[in-house]
Every structure is written in C-alpha cells, then in structure tokens.
Amino acid sequence: MGNKPSLVSKGRYELKFRGTKCLNCGHPLDVSDKYCPNCSQANSTKKLVLRDFWDEFFSSLINYDSKLLKTLYAMLLKPGTITKHYVEGKRITYTNPFRFLLSLAFLYLLLFTYNNNFSSWDKAAEKFDGNINGTGPVSFDLGNAQISTDSTIIREKTENALTTMDSLGISDVPASDQIKYLDSIGVFDGTYIEKEAAKDSMMLAEPKSYFEGLKNQSGIGGFASKMEFFSNMIKHDSLESFEEARNKYGIENKMGHRMAYNTSNSLLRVIKEPGSFVNATLSKLPFVIFFFLPLFTIFIWMVYIRKKYTYTDHLIFSFHNQSLLFILLILSLIIDTIFDTATAGVFLLIFGIYLYKAMRKFYGQGRIKTILKYIFLNTIFAFLALFVLIGLFTGSVFTY
C-alpha cells in the first residue's frame, strides 16, 4: 500500500476524501485509487456541490482540447502520421477518428446550411407557381386568337411555348403564325388539347370512375397513370393523406396505390419547396458518409492487399483523410463568408496534394506506384460518390 504512487488531485478527488470501499459496488479500494477498478466510479466520499461539477466540466474540456490540438497538428502538418500512430496503438494522444469525423461532418453541414441560398429557391418556386397556376381558367392572348383552358398540362405546355417564342423573337408575329408554330411543336396538334382537356375534366368530375379504369393497370405505365391521378387530386382537391383519398374515391388499400400517392405527394412537395428539399437531403449526408466510406475502403484494401494492414486500418486511414477534407472545406466556408470570395477550389487542390503525401507516408511505397494507385482510387471515389449522391437525391425525392 505504501509503495503505490500518491495521486494528489483537487476538489472531491483530494486524498482526504478517498475511501477504502467503493460506495457504488462495495469493492475494496486503496487511497491511491482515484477510480474503482471494478465499476469505474470515482473514489470520493465528499458531498457534491455545484463547484465540483464546474471544475469537472472545465477539466474535461481542457483534456479534450489537448487531444483535439494534437490531432489537428498531426493531421494538418504530418500527412499519414496520425493514422500510422493510431494503428500502431498510440491512440490516447488523439481523438477517436470515427467520432471526430462525425463531429466535423455535422459542423460543416451547419455552416454550409447557414451560408447557402437554398431558402430563396422556395420563394422563387412559389412565385413561379403563382404565375403559372393562378385561380380559374388561364388565358393566353395571341392577337385576335385566345386560348383558354383549365388543364394544368396544357397551361404549362403553352406557357413554355410562349416563353420559347419570346426568346426566339417571334412573339410579335401574327397570331395565326404563332399558332402554327405552337402546332408544329405539338401544343395544338388537333387532338392533343381535346384529349388532355377531356382527361382532366373526367378526372376532376368523376374521380371514382376514372380511378376504376386505372386500378388494374400494372407496370411503369400504370404506376405513372396513378401518379398523374393523385397529383391532380392533391392539387385540385387538397388531399392531405392516402387515407383521405381512399375514403373519398373508394380506393383499395394496396401497396401500389399507396406508393403512387406517396410518390406523387413527395414530388409535388419537391417542386413546391426545392430549397427545403435540398437542405433536408444534405442533412442526411453525415450518415451517408458512414455507409459510403466503408464501401470505398474495400477498394483501398484491394489495392494494398499485400500490405500488412487490416481492413479496419484502411478504414481509419479513410476516416482521417475525410476529416481533413471537412476541415479544409470548413476553413473555405469561413474565409468565403468573411471575404466574400470562392476558395473551395484552392482547398480541394491542397487536399489532393495532402492525400498523395498521406498515401506515401502511411503505405510507404514509391512515387510511381503511389501515383498510379492515387489516380485509380480517386477515379473509383468519384464514380462511387456520384452514384451515392444520385441515389441519395432520388431516394429523398420519393420519401420527402
């Protein structure tokens, strides 16, 4: 007992408050035991006061900052060194790579969301929707000819055609020539207006009967027709849920019908709120990274299969490099916000150089081999990232 080191601490950890038995589990303790070796509770008999919580909070903060500073120093100035130390077992000096990456991803997301202009997209979409989808029939005056319709499809198609004519400088030609132009691109093809107007009118006038003709349709065409029906009903009949559609139109509770309604509702929301949709999708990015990097690490493991490192070692290397990328992007956002510049390209170039040096240091191969593997892995990374982003946005469209 006398040979054990004397650990003098402040506050409730002072030696005079040390006990000989754990107050939590009853395990025998020595006064040199700051924590119980059995349950890890602090060895202290002192009554808690507010100052104890205050002191412990700042003590933990200082300890974390110390690890954080050492991690940042090694990560920024010594490419590949931090990973090499970590896989060799020198881990107490650095922060946990998985938790560190998650923290940086959330921090970057918060800064990115704060600095973007996505919210203005919602206002632009609302203004555009108000101009296109006014109340009542919409009329387009072409000189002596006037076209009036309640059909959303015709309205949008005609508006787009008129915008195109205006951009081509033919909006001032006689109305008859304008109609010929619209007819040439399929707006007024003789039967189009009649068919679309009749379909929309029947859909709105007799939704139950109209859906009866759709419910047995299958395949992509049938699903698209049901989506068109639900889109029109949501816009014109203000449907709030699939259950309301079932009660109003006698629709069966089938998975295909429910999917068609949910997909239509999500797509309409995306069109109405594009900025909110992008923000909601990007908020999932930190979690997507934790599925993407393990997948990408498989390729790193295959490229360096002859090395002694395990898959987890390669994964730690990926996490450290991705963390550095987020640090650089955060710095870029801060600089861009303060000085109103665009520095992302510069920092991405810095990261490209850093990644090459990290690969050289960690895997210890020559320049030619490293360059070839660098090009191959970055190509794979670009393709995987593209597919993941497409999948993320596509999935978000159908679930928004």
Side-chain angles (χ1 to χ4, degrees):
M1 178 174 163
N3 295 328
K4 291 188 178 181
S6 177
L7 303 177
V8 181
S9 300
K10 295 182 180 180
R12 66 191 188 101
Y13 296 104
E14 291 183 37
L15 286 176
K16 63 180 180 181
F17 297 120
R18 302 281 174 85
T20 57
K21 184 174 71 172
C22 178
L23 298 179
N24 181 56
C25 66
H27 187 81
L29 300 173
D30 191 90
V31 291
S32 63
D33 293 324
K34 190 174 182 179
Y35 298 96
C36 173
N38 186 51
C39 69
S40 301
Q41 177 166 289
N43 180 17
S44 176
T45 58
K46 182 180 181 293
K47 292 290 184 181
L48 289 173
V49 295
L50 288 177
R51 184 175 177 179
D52 294 325
F53 291 105
W54 186 263
D55 290 341
E56 287 183 31
F57 170 75
F58 277 100
S59 176
S60 299
L61 187 63
I62 292 170
N63 288 336
Y64 179 76
D65 282 349
S66 177
K67 279 189 175 185
L68 178 62
L69 291 174
K70 289 177 181 177
T71 301
L72 289 174
Y73 173 79
M75 189 173 286
L76 290 169
L77 302 179
K78 298 180 178 181
T81 300
I82 185 173
T83 310
K84 200 170 187 66
H85 286 172
Y86 207 89
V87 299
E88 288 174 353
K90 302 172 184 178
R91 298 165 190 160
I92 194 65
T93 307
Y94 308 110
T95 58
N96 183 286
F98 305 98
R99 187 168 54 196
F100 187 52
L101 175 60
L102 187 61
S103 301
L104 288 170
F106 275 115
L107 179 59
Y108 172 73
L109 179 65
L110 287 174
L111 290 173
F112 182 80
T113 304
Y114 176 77
N115 286 304
N116 67 54
N117 294 316
F118 294 142
S119 58
S120 63
W121 294 8
D122 290 347
K123 295 178 181 178
E126 184 179 354
K127 184 178 179 181
F128 180 78
D129 186 62
N131 292 334
I132 297 298
N133 297 316
T135 57
V138 174
S139 299
F140 301 102
D141 194 357
L142 304 177
N144 295 324
Q146 190 178 61
I147 303 161
S148 180
T149 177
D150 285 314
S151 171
T152 302
I153 298 175
I154 300 169
R155 180 189 298 117
E156 293 177 353
K157 198 174 182 69
T158 308
E159 180 69 83
N160 291 335
L162 292 173
T163 303
T164 303
M165 287 194 301
D166 185 63
S167 67
L168 293 173
I170 62 173
S171 58
D172 295 329
V173 301
S176 58
D177 293 335
Q178 293 183 30
I179 293 175
K180 286 180 181 178
Y181 171 75
L182 293 174
D183 182 64
S184 70
I185 62 173
V187 177
F188 306 130
D189 61 358
T191 60
Y192 178 82
I193 287 182
E194 294 178 7
K195 288 181 179 179
E196 292 299 325
K199 183 170 67 173
D200 276 13
S201 298
M202 184 183 299
M203 193 183 298
L204 296 174
E206 296 291 339
K208 287 186 179 181
S209 302
Y210 189 87
F211 193 82
E212 278 292 319
L214 299 177
K215 69 177 185 179
N216 293 324
Q217 293 184 15
S218 58
I220 297 176
F223 189 78
S225 298
K226 293 170 187 175
M227 281 183 58
E228 182 185 13
F229 170 82
F230 284 124
S231 295
N232 275 285
M233 292 303 103
I234 291 170
K235 286 189 286 186
H236 293 286
D237 214 3
S238 302
L239 290 180
E240 296 292 336
S241 66
F242 178 70
E243 297 303 321
E244 185 180 349
R246 285 185 58 205
N247 295 331
K248 274 192 173 184
Y249 315 128
I251 298 173
E252 296 178 80
N253 187 18
K254 291 184 177 180
M255 182 180 294
H257 297 164
R258 187 179 291 274
M259 286 179 62
Y261 174 86
N262 290 336
T263 303
S264 301
N265 192 39
S266 296
L267 284 172
L268 288 174
R269 287 187 62 197
V270 170
I271 295 170
K272 186 178 179 182
E273 305 169 351
S276 300
F277 163 71
V278 172
N279 273 327
T281 303
L282 290 177
S283 67
K284 303 171 186 174
L285 197 58
F287 303 101
V288 172
I289 289 171
F290 279 86
F291 289 99
F292 169 74
L293 285 182
L295 176 62
F296 174 65
T297 302
I298 294 175
F299 291 93
I300 301 178
W301 173 72
M302 291 172 62
V303 167
Y304 289 102
I305 196 167
R306 293 184 179 181
K307 288 291 180 179
K308 60 182 179 180
Y309 297 119
T310 65
Y311 170 82
T312 305
D313 296 337
H314 295 299
L315 185 61
I316 293 171
F317 178 76
S318 297
F319 272 66
H320 279 147
N321 287 306
Q322 192 65 38
S323 296
L324 189 277
L325 177 59
F326 276 123
I327 290 171
L328 294 177
L329 291 176
I330 288 169
L331 290 174
S332 174
L333 281 176
I334 293 172
I335 293 173
D336 291 349
T337 303
I338 296 173
F339 299 103
D340 192 23
T341 59
T343 59
V346 175
F347 281 98
L348 287 175
L349 178 62
I350 293 172
F351 174 73
I353 298 171
Y354 175 94
L355 181 59
Y356 166 76
K357 290 184 174 295
M359 290 173 66
R360 280 265 292 163
K361 177 68 177 178
F362 183 65
Y363 293 109
Q365 291 189 330
R367 286 187 176 86
I368 301 300
K369 281 188 176 181
T370 302
I371 289 173
L372 291 175
K373 292 180 179 181
Y374 176 90
I375 295 171
F376 173 76
L377 288 174
N378 276 284
T379 303
I380 294 295
F381 183 91
F383 276 108
L384 283 179
L386 178 62
F387 284 126
V388 168
L389 284 175
I390 291 173
L392 174 62
F393 275 89
T394 302
S396 297
V397 165
F398 292 106
T399 57
Y400 180 61

